[in-house]
Amino acid sequence: MTALAPSPAASETRTAPGAGWLLRLHRPALYIWIGVVAVLALGLVWLWGPLTDSSVAAWRQYREACDDFRSTCHYDQDSIVRYKSVYMYTTGALTALPFVVAAWAGAALFGRELEHGTAQLAWTQGLSPVRWLATKLIVPTVLVTAGTGLLVALHRLMWSAGDGRIDTAKTWYDNLTLHTNGPTTVAFALTGLAGGALGGVLLRRTLPALTFALTGVAATRFLADQLMPHLWPGVTRVTSLADGYRGSGLGVDSGLVTATGAHIADPGCGPTSASPGCATVYADLDATGFYTTYHPESHYWPLQLTTTTLVLAVAAALAVAAFVLLRRSTATPTRVGAEAAV
């Protein structure tokens, strides 16, 4: 009686490693990631509660004791400085997180394994190249999304607790705060991960793949900053030549309004209330007022969601490109061998 040989599919299912293999292989990076997220989360919770409360109390003391320009006034300056310092460090670290993810993905997760042949060895052990890449992307995607998403949520809660209560609190449209308060930071991190995958598959060397991923995140963030104000209709406010510009929020455009309603560049003379000589300049330009196009705080989530969608589309395109390139590069030797045999 002849025993039935196991099918290739069953053999691959039995022998191919899964997510557990990836977590074991990159266990140090996993521990470091958990540690970084935990430390930043603790810092943000500290800001959200005790540091915000003490800073609010210190600013209340300042307004009560120092607003009348007394020669001496006493308030808890250390609490104000401490809040500002911890805010700066935690916000800066959260801003840098997508770049850290990109560097790790390009160097350790993809570039080094392809350069040293570890990936190629895995492909001979029942793990196809496509499944190798899919596992390498899916597991870190879950971990990066969960960790970065938690930090972004805590940052938003922390910032909201001090908004309007702390005189030196950052505005919602401050560049670093704008992103660390919303999902664009998560999207930047996923772009770094996908960029590392493409860089590793394309260049197959550690340092070039790292550079490729970092450059991709930096370029994506720069383009997102440039495009964000234009992804949602802004609000335009027109003011008199004496009043100057008015409107607080994320700026889009500004200049002069002519008698015909046209928008022209501002020569930079200033409002006529401060510089009476500017009236002649504006008369020559047929200007009747200033205009300011900006986004108020009510536009925050539309801007965040549209920008996040755009950045995630970039991340998806990078990931798809990595799959296509890997499939082509690993299929070529098979086709060539088959043609030679014929």
Side-chain angles (χ1 to χ4, degrees):
M1 187 178 202
T2 305
L4 293 175
S7 66
S11 177
E12 181 175 348
T13 302
R14 191 169 53 249
T15 61
W21 148 78
L22 180 63
L23 294 176
R24 287 192 300 272
L25 184 62
H26 295 280
R27 186 175 299 169
L30 174 62
Y31 292 158
I32 292 173
W33 175 252
I34 293 174
V36 168
V37 171
V39 169
L40 285 178
L42 288 174
L44 290 169
V45 170
W46 188 30
L47 272 169
W48 181 16
L51 291 189
T52 293
D53 292 341
S54 60
S55 184
V56 168
W59 276 111
R60 187 183 305 115
Q61 293 173 359
Y62 177 83
R63 286 189 290 269
E64 292 174 353
C66 305
D67 273 1
D68 56 359
F69 301 102
R70 298 177 187 175
S71 57
T72 59
C73 61
H74 301 282
Y75 65 100
D76 188 4
Q77 186 177 14
D78 290 341
S79 293
I80 295 175
V81 173
R82 189 180 302 115
Y83 175 90
K84 290 177 63 177
S85 298
V86 178
Y87 185 96
M88 178 183 67
Y89 292 136
T90 53
T91 302
L94 186 50
T95 299
L97 218 53
F99 295 90
V100 174
V101 171
W104 171 72
L109 189 60
F110 296 102
R112 185 176 63 190
E113 291 202 16
L114 286 165
E115 181 179 10
H116 293 172
T118 307
Q120 292 84 339
L121 178 62
W123 301 342
T124 66
Q125 311 262 330
L127 187 64
S128 69
V130 170
R131 184 175 175 183
W132 171 84
L133 180 58
T135 305
K136 285 274 192 177
L137 278 174
I138 292 173
V139 176
T141 293
V142 173
L143 294 173
V144 167
T145 301
T148 311
L150 171 64
L151 294 177
V152 165
L154 289 175
H155 194 282
R156 177 74 185 181
L157 290 170
M158 174 273 296
W159 175 85
S160 299
D163 184 36
R165 303 171 65 204
I166 297 175
D167 291 14
T168 53
K170 294 294 185 180
T171 60
W172 71 270
Y173 52 89
D174 170 74
N175 185 264
L176 298 187
T177 302
L178 177 66
H179 292 295
T180 51
N181 270 354
T184 51
T185 295
V186 181
F188 290 143
L190 295 179
T191 301
L193 182 63
L198 179 57
V201 172
L202 177 65
L203 303 172
R204 303 205 172 198
R205 294 176 59 194
T206 303
L207 187 58
L210 180 152
T211 305
F212 182 93
L214 287 177
T215 303
V217 173
T220 302
R221 184 181 174 101
F222 174 78
L223 291 175
D225 285 338
Q226 300 303 309
L227 293 175
M228 177 182 272
H230 307 284
L231 296 177
W232 195 260
V235 173
T236 299
R237 182 175 181 181
V238 178
T239 53
S240 69
L241 293 173
D243 291 337
Y245 294 109
R246 295 289 186 272
S248 177
L250 183 63
V252 180
D253 193 15
S254 62
L256 297 175
V257 181
T258 66
T260 62
H263 291 177
I264 61 175
D266 182 359
C269 196
T272 56
S273 58
S275 304
C278 291
T280 303
V281 176
Y282 296 143
D284 293 339
L285 295 171
D286 197 25
T288 59
F290 293 96
Y291 78 91
T292 307
T293 302
Y294 66 100
H295 292 284
E297 189 172 359
S298 60
H299 289 192
Y300 177 79
W301 283 111
L303 291 171
Q304 272 285 334
L305 295 177
T306 52
T307 306
T308 299
T309 301
L310 182 63
V311 175
L312 287 178
V314 173
L318 293 173
V320 169
F323 276 104
V324 171
L325 183 61
L326 181 65
R327 182 182 289 275
R328 288 182 178 178
S329 63
T330 55
T332 300
T334 303
R335 289 198 301 268
V336 171
E339 292 173 359
V342 173

